[in-house]
């Protein structure tokens, strides 16, 4: 039996347990069918009202960024990720000011650990980094993508 944890983006949705070799227990869809419709509502709202940092980064990532097709506000398990490239199992999270609060830092850590336990790599940037140093953020993402490609093809 797994301990229940709260999803910081959608309220008190329990984290699913299990899975085979890091795969999500509900398979291809990557979203818990029990909570999908609720999370889908949140993703639609988030897409309609992105933060300035999300808009800036999305303008750079959409399409094909170094072989990655990113999705924004993508549901994985019980979470809504800011940006996800499923092919590379890469998630990019943008953190606003409230992420500095101790309870939010704990939630972010648990969220990252859960996503990484499913085989994803999570890169985190602050909204300020994206807004004021976009090129450095893009270079960090590009470096990870190229490094990951080299590791998987050597």
């Amino acid at each position: 039996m797994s301990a229940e944890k709260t999803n910081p983006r959608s309220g008190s949705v329990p984290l699913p347990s299990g899975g085979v070799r890091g795969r999500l227990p509900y398979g291809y869809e990557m979203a818990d069918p029990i909570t999908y419709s609720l999370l889908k509502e949140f993703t639609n709202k988030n897409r309609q009202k992105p933060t300035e940092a999300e808009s800036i980064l999305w303008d750079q990532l959409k399409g094909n960024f170094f072989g990655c097709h990113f999705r924004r506000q993508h549901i994985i398990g019980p979470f809504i990720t800011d940006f996800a490239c499923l092919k590379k199992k890469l998630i990019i999270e943008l953190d606003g000011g409230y992420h500095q609060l101790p309870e939010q830092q704990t939630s972010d850590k648990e969220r990252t650990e859960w996503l990484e336990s499913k085989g994803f790599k999570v890169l985190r940037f602050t909204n300020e980094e994206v807004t004021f140093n976009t090129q450095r953020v893009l270079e960090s993402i590009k470096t990870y993508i190229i490094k990951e490609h080299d590791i998987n093809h050597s």
Side-chain angles (χ1 to χ4, degrees), residues 30-147:
M30 303 187 100
D32 185 343
I34 295 169
T35 60
Y36 179 79
S37 61
L38 175 64
L39 291 175
K40 188 67 177 168
E41 285 179 42
F42 286 124
T43 63
N44 290 337
K45 288 177 185 173
N46 291 345
R47 285 183 191 137
Q48 290 170 6
K49 295 186 178 187
T51 65
E52 179 184 10
E54 287 172 338
S55 291
I56 290 169
L57 193 55
W58 180 242
D59 284 344
Q60 300 298 315
L61 296 179
K62 65 184 170 185
N64 188 356
F65 184 81
F66 286 91
C68 282
H69 171 78
F70 280 95
R71 300 162 187 249
R72 72 183 167 128
Q73 300 298 319
H74 186 70
I75 301 168
I76 298 178
F79 299 110
I80 300 170
T81 61
D82 290 329
F83 303 99
C85 174
L86 301 179
K87 179 180 174 185
K88 302 281 185 181
K89 298 198 89 170
L90 174 61
I91 294 169
I92 300 170
E93 289 292 304
L94 302 185
D95 296 340
Y98 74 96
H99 287 270
Q100 299 307 312
L101 299 172
E103 59 273 7
Q104 187 60 45
Q105 288 180 344
T106 299
S107 293
D108 288 345
K109 183 177 184 276
E110 291 171 351
R111 170 188 174 93
T112 297
E113 288 172 354
W114 188 89
L115 290 164
E116 288 179 346
S117 77
K118 303 304 178 202
F120 290 93
K121 171 66 177 170
V122 179
L123 299 179
R124 288 189 169 276
F125 301 98
T126 66
N127 286 349
E128 290 76 20
E129 286 177 295
V130 172
T131 302
F132 300 112
N133 205 344
T134 309
Q135 286 310 117
R136 191 198 67 73
V137 168
L138 293 172
E139 195 60 37
S140 295
I141 297 167
K142 175 181 152 186
T143 298
Y144 175 80
I145 292 169
I146 291 169
K147 178 180 143 193

